């Protein structure tokens, strides 16, 4: 496999992910050869009749960790046709889905002032922010301000233990491997970590809404339903997908 076209070793290549565009007219894939391929889907065509050659191929310089479409993408409006990607030892790239050119770059840095790659990345539901997952923190970029200007939100914090003056560390531990967003309740985002937890946060404040813990291994995928009422989670080496009804969850204090 590998999706064909665009170079790379076809024999040893394989797909790592695929995502439909919001307007349903394109399919974006990433492969082991570090390439992102965009396929156009003719009206009324089934997935088996996709053209063997992609319309666009974008090359990353490292293993692709994640990719995401601009949420308001509409093929009738070229300015909305964009997607982002994050890859090993590279900043976040925003690509033009019409010509495959790089539109913008968003850089996060570590304590040594070296570029650090996001393990997961997606757009806010409104499309004005990019929310990225790192080790025990997320970073948020303004789409209109490329570069190194971002906000960091720590996911593990020291809190006072009940009935004691002792402070303990609480929150979501591990590498944030997957993120998804919804417009429900004025904006939420869900983060899954390789330590097996899923937390739901308020987009505006970053406050924890709830914690979901069921997967014994790392969480590899979180996905809100289109109406934002349900959340699906999947884990590594786990043959079960959990469906959560967010209307029934207790709000954490």
């Amino acid at each position: 496999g590998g999706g064909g076209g665009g170079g790379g070793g076809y024999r040893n290549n394989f797909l790592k992910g695929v995502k439909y565009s919001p307007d349903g007219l394109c399919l974006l894939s990433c492969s082991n050869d570090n390439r992102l391929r965009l396929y156009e889907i003719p009206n009324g065509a089934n997935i088996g009749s996709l053209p063997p050659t992609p319309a666009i191929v974008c090359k990353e310089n490292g293993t692709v960790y994640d990719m995401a479409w601009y949420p308001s993408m509409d093929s009738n409006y070229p300015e909305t046709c964009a997607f982002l990607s994050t890859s090993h030892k590279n900043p976040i790239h925003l690509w033009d889905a019409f010509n495959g050119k790089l539109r913008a770059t968003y850089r996060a840095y570590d304590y040594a002032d070296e570029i650090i790659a996001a393990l997961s990345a997606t757009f806010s539901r409104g499309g004005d922010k990019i929310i990225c997952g790192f080790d025990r923190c997320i970073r948020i970029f303004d789409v209109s301000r490329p570069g190194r200007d971002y906000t960091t939100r720590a996911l593990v914090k020291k809190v006072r233990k009940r009935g004691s003056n002792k402070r303990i560390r609480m929150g979501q531990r591990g590498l944030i491997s997957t993120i998804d967003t919804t417009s429900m309740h004025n904006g939420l985002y869900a983060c899954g970590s390789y330590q097996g937890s899923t937390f739901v946060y308020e987009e505006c404040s970053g406050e924890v809404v709830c914690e979901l813990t069921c997967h014994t291994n790392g969480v590899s995928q979180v996905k809100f339903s289109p109406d934002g009422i349900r959340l699906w989670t999947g884990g590594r080496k786990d043959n079960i997908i959990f469906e959560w009804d967010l209307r029934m969850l207790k709000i954490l204090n």
Side-chain angles (χ1 to χ4, degrees):
Y10 177 85
R11 182 180 298 275
N12 297 318
N13 198 22
F14 56 87
L15 286 170
K16 299 178 68 177
V18 292
K19 290 189 177 183
Y20 277 105
S21 63
D23 68 357
L25 298 179
C26 299
L27 188 69
L28 181 65
S29 74
C30 64
S31 304
N32 191 52
D33 61 0
N34 305 335
R35 286 172 169 82
L36 299 131
R37 293 174 171 86
L38 186 151
Y39 297 88
E40 295 178 345
I41 305 173
N43 285 329
N46 59 53
I47 199 67
S49 62
L50 281 178
T53 303
I56 288 175
V57 179
C58 302
K59 175 101 169 48
E60 283 286 9
N61 294 320
T63 300
V64 177
Y65 293 144
D66 204 359
M67 57 185 180
W69 284 99
Y70 181 68
S72 300
M73 182 271 189
D74 186 332
S75 295
N76 294 316
Y77 300 93
E79 66 274 13
T80 70
C81 296
F83 57 88
L84 62 79
S85 63
T86 179
S87 61
H88 182 61
K89 292 186 177 180
N90 286 295
I92 295 160
H93 291 145
L94 181 64
W95 303 94
D96 191 301
F98 258 84
N99 56 32
K101 293 182 179 180
L102 187 64
R103 283 192 183 181
T105 299
Y106 305 86
R107 299 177 176 88
Y109 289 81
D110 63 12
Y111 64 92
D113 205 35
E114 296 182 352
I115 289 178
I116 182 172
L119 296 170
S120 52
T122 193
F123 289 96
S124 62
R125 189 53 55 185
D128 58 328
K129 299 288 192 298
I130 297 174
I131 304 174
C132 314
F134 296 84
D135 182 11
R136 293 170 295 173
C137 76
I138 65 162
R139 293 182 169 95
I140 301 175
F141 292 88
D142 188 318
V143 173
S144 65
R145 301 180 67 179
R148 61 180 299 167
D149 189 11
Y150 55 84
T151 300
T152 300
R153 289 180 176 174
L155 303 182
V156 177
K157 303 175 182 178
K158 283 187 175 182
V159 297
R160 191 178 302 278
K161 189 176 181 180
R162 289 183 180 180
S164 170
N165 290 326
K166 185 178 180 181
R167 298 176 69 85
I168 58 176
R169 292 184 181 273
M170 298 286 290
Q172 188 171 20
R173 300 178 182 274
L175 303 173
I176 302 304
S177 52
T178 176
I179 301 177
D180 196 30
T181 59
T182 179
S183 56
M184 182 182 183
H185 297 309
N186 297 318
L188 303 173
Y189 56 86
C191 297
S193 87
Y194 279 139
Q195 288 218 348
S197 67
T198 299
F199 279 59
V200 178
Y201 301 89
E202 292 181 350
E203 182 182 314
C204 182
S205 67
E207 292 297 316
V208 176
V209 175
C210 59
E211 176 184 358
L212 313 172
T213 305
C214 274
H215 298 283
T216 55
N217 296 306
V219 177
S220 58
Q221 194 67 253
V222 294
K223 185 67 178 177
F224 284 103
S225 60
D227 61 8
I229 292 175
R230 289 177 171 78
L231 178 71
W232 294 284
T233 63
R236 300 172 65 188
K237 300 180 181 179
D238 195 336
N239 60 357
I240 297 175
I241 295 176
F242 289 97
E243 182 182 68
W244 306 86
D245 189 333
L246 299 181
R247 297 169 298 182
M248 306 297 291
L249 297 175
K250 180 182 178 181
I251 305 299
L252 298 182
N253 293 323

